[in-house]
């Protein structure tokens, strides 16, 4: 049987229980099921209970409104707008299979249609299919792809892509990177090298590190965020496969515990299935309102 979404659990909770201690205990369980992670689920329930107590809130609409305030404050939005005529580099980080290459293509389309020149950098030189995939996306989207030979130095790909962006009078470089976490030390070293090149080649303030996480992996995604944040730092998250999960609480955990904002949410395999993150409507959806 499919697991209930947090919104469905919440609905059930209000039909069965008065807003008392048991209600708040069950609220914690429901938040854990919604992928908030046990620690944040406990903290948030405590805060909710306190707010409801102070404001003498006991009805469904009141409790939901208080929870919405807490949730939308936990997930931090972040707008990434590349400046025209400057060289911006957005490095896409994340483990294999989360949707990095697909997200690079979606972002290429998104920013092209919003008036930016875009260059895709195939800096996952480890997985041959990633380079081929990116070339194909570039062809379909009419976006330039900079790639080197399979097995080449990924930082050299970023170097060349940044040079191409500079030569064209400024552009956004979207760099796909490798994500073989099972070889963590090598990966971290490789990412740190790309990081050094990107910091030097992008214009001031125009280099961002975006961690791509798969919403269906729940709290594993939080651990991935910790690892990548420790390795090179993460400026914002792109949440993928939100169409494939009834959960999505991970955005709140990453926002609140790691203070990393969410920039985009992806809801399918097509290029247009990407949208800037909006904390309030995301909280509404999580609450089923
Ligand atoms: P990478 O290894 O991180 O580069 O991942 P890929 O971009 O190759 O994506 C892995 C799989 O996830 C592919 O089958 C994609 O079509 C799929 N995928 C990526 N983003 C989404 C999304 O938002 N929703 C769904 N349903 N599938 C996605």
């Amino acid at each position: 049987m499919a697991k209930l979404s947090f919104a469905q659990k919440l609905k059930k909770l209000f039909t069965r229980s008065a807003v008392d201690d048991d209600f708040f205990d069950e609220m914690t369980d429901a938040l854990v099921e919604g992928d908030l992670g046990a620690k944040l689920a406990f903290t948030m329930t405590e805060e909710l209970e306190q707010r409801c107590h102070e404001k003498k809130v006991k009805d469904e609409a009141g409790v939901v409104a208080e929870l919405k305030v807490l949730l939308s404050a936990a997930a931090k939005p972040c707008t990434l707008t590349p400046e025209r005529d400057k060289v911006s580099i957005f490095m896409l980080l994340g483990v294999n299979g989360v949707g990095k290459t697909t997200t690079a293509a979606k972002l290429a389309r998104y920013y092209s249609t919003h008036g930016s020149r875009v260059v895709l950098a195939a800096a996952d030189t480890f997985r041959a299919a990633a380079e081929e995939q990116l070339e194909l996306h570039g062809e379909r989207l009419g976006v330039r792809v900079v790639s080197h030979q399979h097995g080449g130095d990924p930082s050299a790909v970023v170097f060349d892509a940044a040079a191409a962006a500079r030569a064209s009078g400024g552009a956004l470089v979207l760099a796909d990177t490798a994500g073989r976490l099972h070889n963590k030390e090598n990966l971290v070293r490789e990412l740190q090298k790309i990081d050094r090149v990107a910091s030097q080649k992008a214009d001031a303030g125009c280099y961002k590190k975006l961690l791509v996480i798969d919403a269906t992996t729940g709290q594993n995604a939080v651990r991935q965020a910790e690892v990548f944040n420790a390795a090179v730092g993460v400026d914002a998250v792109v949440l993928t496969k939100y169409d494939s999960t009834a959960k999505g609480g991970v955005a709140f955990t990453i926002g609140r515990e790691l203070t990393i904002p969410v920039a985009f949410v992806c809801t399918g395999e097509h290029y247009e299935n990407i949208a800037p993150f909006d904390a309030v409507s995301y909280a509404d959806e999580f609450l089923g309102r």
Side-chain angles (χ1 to χ4, degrees):
M1 202 181 76
K3 278 191 179 164
L4 293 184
S5 69
F6 175 76
Q8 288 165 309
K9 285 210 133 199
L10 188 65
K11 215 177 211 168
K12 270 193 154 178
L13 197 54
F14 281 113
T15 56
R16 279 194 282 114
S17 175
V19 179
D20 55 13
D21 286 353
D22 285 349
F23 174 91
F24 286 109
D25 285 346
E26 287 198 43
M27 174 68 83
T28 310
D29 293 344
L31 287 170
V32 171
E33 286 252 338
D35 265 350
L36 240 76
K39 192 167 144 224
L40 182 58
F42 274 102
T43 314
M44 201 168 272
T45 308
E46 263 175 30
E47 289 170 357
L48 178 65
E49 196 167 357
Q50 199 180 341
R51 288 176 79 98
C52 292
H53 180 72
E54 280 167 5
K55 297 185 177 179
K56 303 198 179 358
V57 167
K58 284 198 172 297
D59 62 308
E60 177 174 347
V63 174
V64 169
E66 294 304 324
L67 185 53
K68 183 177 162 179
V69 170
L70 291 172
L71 287 170
S72 41
K76 318 239 176 322
C78 153
T79 308
L80 299 171
T81 313
E83 284 182 59
R84 275 191 80 79
D85 309 326
K86 292 212 168 164
V87 174
S88 300
I89 302 178
F90 293 178
M91 171 157 81
L92 296 172
L93 306 161
V95 303
N96 281 341
V98 290
K100 274 187 311 298
T101 310
T102 312
T103 301
K106 287 174 179 171
L107 288 174
R109 178 189 170 276
Y110 178 86
Y111 283 113
S112 304
T113 55
H114 285 79
S116 296
R117 260 190 304 268
V118 174
V119 177
L120 282 162
D124 180 356
T125 59
F126 187 77
R127 194 166 68 91
E131 293 170 322
E132 286 161 22
Q133 256 169 275
L134 211 63
E135 298 271 3
L136 195 64
H137 288 308
E139 236 169 75
R140 286 188 190 142
L141 293 165
V143 168
R144 177 165 181 193
V145 180
V146 172
S147 64
H148 284 189
Q149 269 181 338
H150 176 54
D153 181 351
S155 53
V157 178
V158 173
F159 184 98
D160 281 353
R166 179 81 57 202
S168 68
L172 166 65
V173 174
L174 291 164
D176 189 19
T177 64
R180 46 184 202 291
L181 253 199
H182 56 276
N183 197 344
K184 201 173 122 195
E185 269 174 39
N186 285 348
L187 176 68
V188 168
R189 227 175 295 130
E190 179 177 300
L191 293 177
Q192 287 171 339
K193 194 171 168 193
I194 302 174
D195 186 46
R196 281 196 297 276
V197 170
S199 333
Q200 285 163 9
K201 295 294 161 193
D203 281 312
C206 299
Y207 168 42
K208 301 288 172 199
K209 289 160 267 190
L210 309 187
L211 178 70
V212 180
I213 59 169
D214 174 343
T216 65
T217 60
Q219 290 297 300
N220 260 340
V222 179
R223 274 181 288 283
Q224 289 163 18
E226 283 167 347
V227 169
F228 282 96
N229 203 22
V232 285
V234 172
D235 295 304
V237 154
V238 178
L239 195 65
T240 61
K241 310 190 193 180
Y242 189 50
D243 52 305
S244 307
T245 175
K247 301 182 173 188
V250 68
F252 304 115
T253 319
I254 288 178
R256 175 112 174 218
E257 290 180 357
L258 303 176
T259 61
I260 301 173
V262 184
F264 288 95
V265 178
C266 298
T267 49
E269 298 182 76
H270 301 292
Y271 292 136
E272 64 276 17
N273 297 145
I274 188 164
F277 177 73
D278 173 345
V280 174
S281 58
Y282 191 85
D284 270 337
E285 206 174 318
F286 186 74
L287 291 163
R289 304 289 138 168

